[in-house]
Amino acid sequence: AQSVAQPEDQVNVAEGNPLTVKCTYSVSGNPYLFWYVQYPNRGLQFLLKYITGDNLVKGSYGFEAEFNKSQTSFHLKKPSALVSDSALYFCAVRDNNNFNKFYFGSGTKLNVKP
Amino acid sequence: ETGVTQSPTHLIKTRGQQVTLRCSSQSGHNTVSWYQQALGQGPQFIFQYYREEENGRGNFPPRFSGLQFPNYSSELNVNALELDDSALYLCASSNPGGWSTEAFFGQGTRLTVV
């Protein structure tokens, strides 16, 4: 079975500081990993994905994520946080047998304070 | 914003009633899936439709059913509504051109069952 875990319900960071939102995964087969962001009363917006290749993946709005196979992690990072980055972040893994089926983590609320 | 649109945006229903939610997928996407996002949780996969047929289902009872139309739009029907059905319902579409593609989500329909 495939799953992802987001161990932190909430992350607080000051504007301008680096941020990390953690995600670990469990898959059978190749991992197809994704990060999505959700703003209040909105759907999910795609940020970035890891399919294969370089372990450091760059995405939208200055976000990047580091894939670590040995630690089965896919942490989301940004060098300098903005207040506007405050939102709910979801890590997800694609089901290897069902194309449009994703397993989502429980989400991490990012609070960036001025 | 993605090209996935959902209607209505908000809905209030009484326990025991039936509800129909609608989704128009992004142009060219013939695979549509539905997710339920309860408050404080990550989205949970309900089912997926490909070429007008259900071809994957999550752990949801049969009173959750769907349709996909020739234009790839989709409906989610829920019968005999229960209080626990209150959630944000998300529709997602993908281009089945490859497993590396991300899913595009609509803004969701907020269903409240009273």
Side-chain angles (χ1 to χ4, degrees):
Chain A
Q2 289 154 255
S3 65
V4 294
Q6 294 181 243
E8 303 155 317
D9 291 335
Q10 186 166 297
V11 169
N12 298 312
V13 64
E15 188 174 33
N17 282 358
L19 70 87
T20 298
V21 182
K22 295 180 180 177
C23 171
T24 58
Y25 66 90
S26 174
V27 301
S28 53
N30 295 323
Y32 297 95
L33 297 162
F34 300 78
W35 276 101
Y36 283 85
V37 61
Q38 186 175 41
Y39 296 97
N41 301 314
R42 302 290 294 275
L44 302 177
Q45 295 181 27
F46 168 75
L47 278 180
L48 50 78
K49 61 188 175 187
Y50 173 82
I51 305 302
T52 187
D54 195 350
N55 289 343
L56 185 63
V57 178
K58 294 191 182 296
S60 306
Y61 314 118
F63 284 93
E64 56 191 29
E66 187 171 9
F67 172 71
N68 188 317
K69 187 174 182 179
S70 63
Q71 296 186 4
T72 62
S73 66
F74 188 54
H75 300 331
L76 181 70
K77 300 182 178 186
K78 188 173 183 181
S80 179
L82 299 172
V83 172
S84 58
D85 292 330
S86 298
L88 191 55
Y89 290 80
F90 290 98
C91 180
V93 63
R94 170 171 264 150
D95 187 284
N96 281 345
N97 297 310
N98 197 324
F99 180 80
N100 221 17
K101 181 177 182 179
F102 292 80
Y103 298 89
F104 284 87
S106 55
T108 298
K109 189 169 187 295
L110 175 65
N111 296 312
V112 182
K113 298 184 178 179
Chain B
E1 293 293 333
T2 71
V4 181
T5 58
Q6 293 185 242
S7 62
T9 54
H10 295 84
L11 202 53
I12 299 175
K13 288 288 190 177
T14 302
R15 189 172 51 183
Q17 286 188 314
Q18 178 266 344
V19 69
T20 298
L21 310 182
R22 295 178 175 83
C23 171
S24 294
S25 63
Q26 186 148 322
S27 177
H29 290 184
N30 60 10
T31 304
V32 173
S33 58
W34 288 89
Y35 289 80
Q36 180 195 66
Q37 184 180 11
L39 198 61
Q41 297 182 24
Q44 300 287 319
F45 177 78
I46 302 175
F47 46 53
Q48 171 182 313
Y49 277 81
Y50 173 65
R51 292 184 175 178
E52 303 178 49
E53 297 216 353
E54 182 183 306
N55 75 338
R57 191 175 185 92
N59 189 26
F60 282 82
R63 60 189 185 84
F64 285 78
S65 63
L67 285 172
Q68 188 180 32
F69 300 99
N71 66 354
Y72 306 140
S73 65
S74 178
E75 289 182 354
L76 165 65
N77 300 291
V78 187
N79 293 322
L81 283 167
E82 301 176 359
L83 296 180
D84 284 348
D85 296 333
S86 296
L88 181 68
Y89 288 85
L90 296 165
C91 170
S93 72
S94 294
N95 181 344
W99 287 78
S100 62
T101 58
E102 60 272 20
F104 295 87
F105 285 81
Q107 83 283 5
T109 294
R110 173 75 61 188
L111 173 64
T112 302
V113 183
V114 297

